[in-house]
């Protein structure tokens, strides 16, 4: 076998990649026909590939590189911590300074009485922790029958058995025997696709009230919790109508159930506040955190629990933990990442500078014949592609036809923008500057023009009925 190095020709790297590396959420056999793009280096909002192309990463990796690429501070902290203590566990009555410091900092940042952190290696396992936490909590409160967790169709909570069951992705449920028992899904607040003749406000209320109906049908004595992303990310950056979260808040206040806010994307500045629940105005009992927590420089996630939940669980041994819970290097890097977000006032930057400018540029895309609506909160946004704006029509050729073409055209124009069905989504690093936003918008426009041309040529600008 040849030594695999940075200097290998792209085609050889791609061949070895296709032969030996199984990619997440991909059709592996396709890589034999067309290799994966080989990313070599990052700087700020920019990526550089093995062909020397400079690409604007409007997805911040996978919604996570909030402070941008190439941050020496994070490298130094990791190096120092690896030298001093590369690993020690936090089981069996031991602890270490990085885990203590990070938990303390998170308790300070998290709103209200969320003061206790259980660490995981990412968002999926943190949500698995949450399933066990809420069920065990009610058991300890003398209500062992409260085991059902309500979540939403087209929500995303991770890819393990538990977290993918919480999620409402039908494609995931179709493989491997999901969901696990006692998970109940209600509809999502996606007005564009599902709102019919209702106004967004009417539709937001109707979809929120599905939570109340589900609790009534299942029995309040059976429901443990409701889990939701403040704004759905992987589902297509679905920004709910303004009426949705206030109504959810009312229902949660009236019913004896716990609210879990999955902040894996919305947390750490993405929406212009530290956490998405602050943007939508609810106080959760548990928050799931990962991704932007370390800006992706180290794999780390966790669950932040309220005083009440932590104190109740604390009365007994909680038979749960991961080898890497509170990993010292990951914790040290996450802590430094939070320091950077604070010191560089990145949340103010999102709220007052980059967010408003991005919004202006983003909303201008609705002038394009292919774009039906453009939605954005802070620095997470989406546009809906449609063959007919007035009726909010889907494409006759099926969901994702236009989206996939558009993603390819973005790729060809050195812009990373993802598609979910026929929604195009962005979530750029929070450090993005106005001149970089100009480049983003210009490339997005060009990609849309090229997509439109292709769709017309192939006779695909046809509405489904
Ligand atoms: C990415 C994501 C997860 C899963 O996190 P992993 O680190 O991939 O396990 C969970 N919830 C949300 C909202 C996410 O976006």
């Amino acid at each position: 076998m040849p030594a695999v190095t940075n200097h290998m020709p792209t085609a050889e790297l791609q061949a070895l990649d296709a032969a030996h590396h199984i990619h997440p959420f991909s059709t592996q056999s396709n890589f034999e026909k067309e290799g994966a793009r080989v990313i070599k280096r990052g700087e700020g909002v920019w990526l550089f590939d093995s062909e020397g192309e400079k690409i604007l990463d409007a997805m911040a990796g996978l919604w996570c590189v909030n402070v941008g690429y190439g941050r020496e501070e994070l490298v130094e902290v990791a190096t120092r911590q690896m030298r001093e203590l590369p690993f020690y566990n936090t089981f069996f009555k031991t602890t270490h300074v990085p885990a203590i410091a990070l938990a303390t900092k998170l308790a300070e940042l998290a709103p209200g009485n969320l003061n206790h952190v259980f660490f995981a290696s990412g968002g999926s396992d943190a949500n698995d922790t949450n399933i066990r936490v809420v069920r065990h909590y009610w058991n300890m409160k003398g209500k062992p029958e409260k085991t059902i967790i309500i979540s939403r169709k087209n929500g995303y909570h991770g890819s393990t058995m538990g977290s993918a069951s919480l999620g409402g992705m039908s494609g995931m449920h179709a493989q491997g025997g999901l969901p696990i028992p006692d998970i109940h899904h209600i509809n999502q607040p996606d007005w564009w696709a599902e709102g019919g003749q209702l106004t967004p406000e009417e539709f937001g209320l109707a979809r929120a009230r599905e939570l109340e109906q589900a609790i009534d049908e299942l029995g309040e004595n059976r429901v443990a919790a409701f889990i939701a992303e403040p704004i759905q990310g992987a589902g297509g950056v679905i920004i709910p109508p303004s009426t949705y979260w206030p109504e959810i808040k009312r229902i949660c206040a009236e019913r004896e159930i716990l609210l879990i806010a999955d902040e894996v994307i919305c947390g750490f500045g993405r929406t212009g506040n530290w956490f998405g629940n602050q943007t939508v105005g609810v106080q959760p009992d548990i928050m799931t955190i990962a991704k932007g927590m370390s800006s992706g420089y180290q794999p780390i996630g966790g669950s932040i629990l309220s005083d009440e939940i932590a104190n109740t669980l604390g009365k007994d041994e909680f038979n749960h933990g991961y080898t890497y819970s509170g990993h010292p290097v990951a914790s040290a890097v996450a802590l430094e990442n939070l320091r950077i977000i604070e010191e560089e006032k990145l949340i103010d930057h999102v709220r007052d500078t980059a967010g408003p400018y991005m919004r202006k540029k983003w909303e201008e895309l609705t002038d394009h014949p292919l774009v039906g609506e453009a939605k954005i909160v802070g620095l997470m946004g989406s546009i809906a592609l449609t063959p007919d704006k007035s009726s909010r029509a889907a494409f006759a050729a099926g969901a994702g036809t236009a989206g996939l073409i558009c993603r390819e055209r973005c790729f060809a124009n050195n812009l990373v923008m993802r598609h979910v069905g026929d929604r195009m989504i962005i979530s750029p690093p929070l450090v993005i500057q106005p001149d970089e936003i100009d480049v983003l918008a210009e490339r997005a426009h060009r990609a849309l023009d090229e997509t439109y041309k292709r769709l017309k040529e192939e006779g695909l600008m046809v509405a489904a009925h």
Side-chain angles (χ1 to χ4, degrees):
M1 286 297 289
V4 178
T5 71
N6 251 341
H7 306 293
M8 224 177 207
T10 302
E12 283 179 40
L13 288 167
Q14 288 171 327
L16 291 170
D17 182 69
H20 302 298
H21 174 206
I22 301 178
H23 290 247
F25 288 100
S26 304
T27 305
Q28 190 66 19
S29 54
N30 285 351
F31 290 115
E32 284 157 26
K33 289 172 250 150
E34 191 181 7
R37 197 164 191 169
V38 182
I39 303 298
K40 279 189 149 169
R41 197 167 68 75
E43 190 63 45
V45 302
W46 303 97
L47 295 167
F48 300 84
D49 74 5
S50 55
E51 296 293 282
E53 296 289 342
K54 184 178 175 187
I55 305 153
L56 199 160
D57 183 9
M59 283 305 300
L62 265 180
W63 323 82
C64 55
V65 188
N66 286 8
V67 299
Y69 298 95
R71 305 295 303 231
E72 269 308 309
E73 309 94 308
L74 298 177
V75 179
E76 272 165 31
V77 163
T79 311
R80 215 183 307 139
Q81 187 57 46
M82 285 181 97
R83 209 168 266 140
E84 192 164 304
L85 183 70
F87 177 76
Y88 200 73
N89 71 70
T90 52
F91 296 26
F92 316 130
K93 231 179 156 190
T94 57
T95 190
H96 46 66
V97 174
I100 300 169
L102 181 60
T104 305
K105 184 68 196 173
L106 288 166
E108 177 201 314
L109 294 175
N113 58 4
L114 298 174
N115 290 316
H116 313 268
V117 188
F118 191 99
F119 288 113
S121 310
S124 302
D125 45 344
N127 276 325
D128 277 24
T129 295
N130 291 338
I131 296 173
R132 301 195 58 193
V133 163
V134 299
R135 290 178 176 172
H136 187 49
Y137 167 80
W138 287 116
N139 186 41
M140 290 198 61
K141 298 291 273 185
K143 296 182 177 175
E145 68 287 358
K146 273 172 95 70
T147 52
I148 299 175
I149 302 173
I150 299 175
S151 63
R152 302 182 299 183
K153 291 175 189 164
N154 201 36
Y156 187 79
H157 299 295
S159 201
T160 53
M161 287 295 284
S163 62
S165 295
L166 291 176
M169 299 290 180
S170 52
M172 294 177 79
H173 288 183
Q175 297 173 344
L178 299 179
I180 60 169
D182 282 358
I183 310 288
H184 181 87
H185 295 89
I186 59 175
N187 284 305
Q188 60 173 337
D190 180 356
W191 176 78
W192 176 265
E194 300 172 6
Q197 299 306 310
L198 299 181
T199 65
E201 292 71 26
E202 290 166 348
F203 177 73
L205 276 182
R207 283 290 157 99
R209 284 175 188 158
E210 286 196 17
L211 175 61
E212 196 165 43
Q213 287 150 16
I215 297 169
D216 287 341
E217 277 160 29
L218 297 162
E220 191 169 335
N221 63 325
R222 292 280 286 115
V223 179
F226 174 57
I227 182 167
E229 302 153 84
I231 294 164
Q232 287 157 265
V237 185
I238 309 297
I239 297 168
S242 61
T243 48
Y244 182 78
W245 273 108
E247 188 68 359
I248 294 284
K249 183 178 172 179
R250 176 190 69 76
I251 296 162
C252 289
E254 288 176 15
R255 304 306 180 99
E256 192 186 46
I257 65 165
L258 300 172
L259 174 62
I260 308 169
D262 187 335
E263 295 278 354
V264 171
I265 288 174
C266 294
F268 306 101
R270 174 66 50 204
T271 69
N273 282 298
W274 272 103
F275 298 100
N277 60 73
Q278 296 163 321
T279 301
V280 302
V282 291
Q283 174 66 38
D285 302 290
I286 298 176
M287 290 199 308
T288 320
I289 52 172
K291 292 193 174 126
M293 172 182 185
S294 65
S295 284
Y297 279 67
Q298 287 283 297
I300 187 168
S303 306
I304 312 188
L305 312 181
S306 70
D307 293 337
E308 157 66 15
I309 295 173
N311 292 340
T312 303
L313 289 185
K315 294 192 174 95
D316 197 359
E317 178 167 347
F318 186 36
N319 298 315
H320 178 65
Y322 308 109
T323 299
Y324 298 140
S325 287
H327 189 285
V329 179
S331 297
V333 168
L335 185 66
E336 179 68 3
N337 173 61
L338 300 181
R339 192 194 63 74
I340 291 173
I341 293 174
E342 275 190 323
E343 189 175 291
E344 298 186 2
K345 300 190 166 49
L346 288 182
I347 291 167
D348 294 350
H349 175 71
V350 172
R351 193 179 48 231
D352 304 330
T353 308
Y357 191 66
M358 188 70 240
R359 170 185 292 277
K360 178 172 164 288
K361 290 285 167 181
W362 198 241
E363 287 176 349
E364 280 169 16
L365 293 177
T366 52
D367 295 341
H368 197 278
L370 200 51
V371 177
E373 69 166 4
K375 304 287 267 179
I376 189 163
V377 170
L379 283 177
M380 62 192 291
S382 61
I383 49 178
L385 307 184
T386 177
D388 179 12
K389 298 186 192 209
S390 61
S391 64
R392 311 202 307 270
F395 288 90
T401 316
L404 188 61
I405 294 172
C406 190
R407 189 191 69 179
E408 271 171 26
R409 296 327 301 158
C410 289
F411 226 57
N413 282 289
N414 282 339
L415 171 66
V416 180
M417 181 152 75
R418 245 173 86 183
H419 83 108
V420 177
D422 295 315
R423 289 190 90 84
M424 302 305 300
I425 60 182
I426 56 161
S427 163
L430 307 187
V431 292
I432 196 166
Q433 296 299 322
D435 59 328
E436 294 164 333
I437 290 173
D438 288 340
V439 177
L440 193 168
E442 183 204 311
R443 289 184 185 179
H445 219 283
R446 206 180 316 145
L448 285 166
D449 283 345
E450 293 172 10
T451 305
Y452 187 49
K453 187 159 167 280
R454 264 275 294 281
L455 290 170
K456 276 195 300 191
E457 279 167 8
E458 296 181 16
L460 294 171
M461 281 301 288
V462 180
H465 290 294

